[in-house]
Amino acid sequence: MKDIRLHVTVLVLCVISELIGSKSFAIGVGKIVLLPMFYALIMGVLTAPRFLKISGTKEIKAASGLLGLTLMLLMARYGTLVGPTLPKIIAASPALILQEFGNLGTCLLGIPLAVLLGLKREAIGAAHSIAREPNVALIGERYGLDSAEGRGVMGVYICGTVIGTIFFGLMASFAAAYTPLHPLALAMASGVGSASMMTASVGSLSAMFPELADQIAAFGAASNMLSGLDGLYMSIWLALPASEFLYRKAYKFKYGEEPPKPLIHSIAGDAKGDEQK
Amino acid sequence: MKMKDMIEVLIIVGIQSLAVNVIGTKYGIVEAIPGLIILILIALAGIWLGKVMPGGIPGVAYVVTLGCILTIPGFPGSEFISEAVKKIGFVQLCVPLLAYAGIAICKDLDVFAKSGWRIIVVSCFVFIGTYIGSAVIAQVILKTLGQI
């Protein structure tokens, strides 16, 4: 059997994580939930050659290669959560579909902030979307990954990979505890097109609202699938043009002049960008 | 990757999940095994469909869809499947997955450490913007429809 060291390491991490169990902390009026899956993630990172030296380059490479496959059992389970609640999901479909437009909140908030922090064209790549794989591919095709936009999208992509899961788990806890947003609305928002971010958010929410757990997971899974389907088109048709517009406005606000024309500017989606380089 | 290797990995993940499930839920090994076998079969069938079906739709989409169809109330055997997989906690299934993810992240740590603080701040606001933006719209619609 291949990669036995990796699989045994994971088994040990799993057992330790689940034995610690989920912990909730009361902070003010709400509570923050820490789940075993977060410990497993952090301990996984700690096995790195630079820390505990349990996993070597070989294990790290094997783990990234197997990631898609190890996801499958969870995805099958999500399917079986959607099935029994399908009538409820269909009843909630207007909300499920329209909340997808909420993903535009990304550029509304992100672009002005990025420009105010001093980022230039990096802002477009970084803040036009949540920067998962399809968005990286899109920016790569349109601007090239070695462009400023490409650096931006890769930066957020890496951040999402490293801190995204835990960030989403804690953010869900905070939002459920301190905002008037309903857990089911937060469940729908969890599906951003990344299975691990969705799972962390859904996991935290269902730990806080056990009586709604199945419905929360079903809504999260359904919305995540929708995001996977529409996310790219949303970026091409709405988020990227909106980001370009917000970038010009924010740039003018900060520097008092129009931004310099980008070298490669092809909103129509022609392939000139790559030839010019 | 060969189908045989995939089956091997799925069974290994199944065993890891089983260990987590026994610790984290009230169900024992014997009670959990039928559900786990069903999940492995759904996963395999979905991956296979992704390979043979035209259209280039990734296997993961077939896996979710299959799981969904097999448990729609009224589908032959749906009750049995639902009851069996209910004994596998979905929060428990995430633990092995995130352990693999954690080990895989190791290769991105250097790049992450080099990314400037600005990108990290922007990333956090990107996450918040997506999440709260969607949640607010969902909240308004669900409330208007009287579903919450």
Side-chain angles (χ1 to χ4, degrees), chain A residues 200-211:
Chain A
S201 164
V202 158
S204 298
L205 291 172
S206 50
M208 294 171 86
F209 306 95
E211 69 287 355

Side-chain angles (χ1 to χ4, degrees), chain B residues 12 15 22 24 26 38 43 49 64-65 88 117 122 125 138 145 148:
Chain B
I12 292 169
I15 294 169
V22 169
K26 57 180 194 281
I38 291 173
L49 282 173
V64 181
T65 313
I88 314 285
W117 63 272
V122 170
F125 276 86
L145 294 176
I148 50 172

Side-chain angles (χ1 to χ4, degrees), chain A residues 60-61 64, chain B residues 103-111:
Chain A
I60 294 172
K61 200 160 166 261
S64 11
Chain B
I103 296 174
I105 285 174
C106 295
K107 72 175 166 33
D108 295 324
L109 281 182
D110 287 325
V111 190

